[in-house]
Amino acid sequence: DTAVSQTPKYLVTQMGNDKSIKCEQNLGHDTMYWYKQDSKKFLKIMFSYNNKELIINETVPNRFSPKSPDKAHLNLHINSLELGDSAVYFCASSQDVPGRALSGANVLTFGAGSRLTVL
Amino acid sequence: RKEVEQDPGPFNVPEGATVAFNCTYSNSASQSFFWYRQDCRKEPKLLMSVYSSGNEDGRFTAQLNRASQYISLLIRDSKLSDSATYLCVVILHTGFQKLVFGTGTRLLVSP
């Protein structure tokens, strides 16, 4: 069983379209994330949710809207896609304990990534 | 200045060599540190945590220097399979944790 699964794995679309990427984790973790890895391989956090509540929202255009229907799912919807949105989007989860640094608890488990290409 | 900085490499080493990477971080409030490994076109995976006293896992040794705000990773007796990008991760615990990744250091081990 895949711990963190995201779909689709590949997505090729035209500029201006709207697309979604879905993510599910079966680890029982409370916190889920979306990261973007650009062509220079820099991995940057976009959003983080804890128990369905948005806790981290980095400087990301409003065209990106995350949704967490329950703590095991975190989806990413992107409106009006632009060329610069082409990247690999990674979903991740962790068992975070607010305000405490627990050894091993804050390890991230990543999904396999969704490679988005905007033409 | 970036929050977490690494030399992008690539580091080209022969099999059996010892290689070391450094990573510097800018926020002195950083509390947890990790090394992740990312193979080409794959997701990052945890390699090892970095403890204050330094720690070892087989051929891999991680060190933390809080005074100078850097962490290091030493790989002894390099294998071909060690070829990958090594990502330094720093965590800020401000309420909820915020993980910040370095840009990664690419290692190429050749026969």
Side-chain angles (χ1 to χ4, degrees):
Chain A
D1 255 0
T2 305
V4 180
S5 58
Q6 48 183 115
T7 55
K9 193 171 172 67
Y10 299 98
L11 187 53
V12 181
T13 189
Q14 301 283 339
M15 271 175 53
N17 284 349
D18 304 338
K19 291 293 177 186
S20 292
I21 308 171
K22 296 185 176 183
C23 180
E24 176 182 2
Q25 55 96 2
N26 62 8
L27 297 167
H29 287 166
D30 290 331
T31 307
M32 295 186 72
Y33 311 78
W34 278 111
Y35 279 83
K36 176 181 180 180
Q37 189 168 45
D38 59 26
S39 57
K40 294 182 181 176
K41 307 301 181 188
F42 181 49
L43 201 61
K44 186 171 169 55
I45 190 167
M46 301 173 69
F47 303 103
S48 175
Y49 273 73
N50 179 272
N51 276 315
K52 302 192 299 177
E53 181 186 342
L54 180 66
I55 55 172
I56 293 176
N57 185 351
E58 295 294 288
T59 308
V60 177
N62 291 337
R63 298 182 295 102
F64 290 79
S65 52
K67 281 193 172 53
S68 183
D70 55 62
K71 75 172 194 176
H73 295 83
L74 180 61
N75 303 323
L76 183 65
H77 188 76
I78 315 171
N79 289 326
S80 303
L81 279 156
E82 300 178 357
L83 294 176
D85 297 333
S86 296
V88 181
Y89 292 85
F90 285 102
C91 176
S93 72
S94 71
Q95 187 59 43
D96 187 22
V97 178
R100 296 179 63 190
L102 292 181
S103 174
N106 36 35
V107 170
L108 282 182
T109 301
F110 283 87
S114 297
R115 184 174 292 274
L116 171 65
T117 303
V118 182
L119 303 175
Chain B
R1 184 184 172 190
K2 286 186 181 152
E3 291 180 278
V4 181
E5 293 202 67
Q6 296 180 248
D7 181 342
F11 284 55
N12 289 287
V13 302
E15 264 187 299
T18 295
V19 62
F21 312 133
N22 280 342
C23 165
T24 58
Y25 59 95
S26 60
N27 192 325
S28 59
S30 303
Q31 297 178 11
S32 303
F33 308 88
F34 300 87
W35 283 101
Y36 275 71
R37 170 193 168 130
Q38 186 173 22
D39 292 298
C40 190
R41 302 181 83 86
K42 298 284 189 184
E43 72 273 23
K45 290 184 179 175
L46 177 70
L47 178 66
M48 60 194 302
S49 303
V50 186
Y51 301 125
S52 297
S53 54
N55 49 298
E56 194 173 300
D57 182 2
R59 297 181 293 108
F60 298 83
T61 301
Q63 298 275 0
L64 167 64
N65 185 319
R66 285 192 185 272
S68 301
Q69 294 183 203
Y70 77 83
I71 68 173
S72 63
L73 177 68
L74 181 79
I75 305 175
R76 288 181 301 278
D77 189 22
S78 299
K79 311 288 184 195
L80 294 177
S81 57
D82 293 335
S83 296
T85 297
Y86 291 83
L87 301 162
C88 168
V89 180
V90 171
I91 298 182
L92 300 172
H93 293 274
T94 53
F96 291 92
Q97 65 183 14
K98 178 183 173 184
L99 287 88
V100 181
F101 282 76
T103 50
T105 298
R106 192 160 171 230
L107 172 65
L108 297 171
V109 182
S110 52

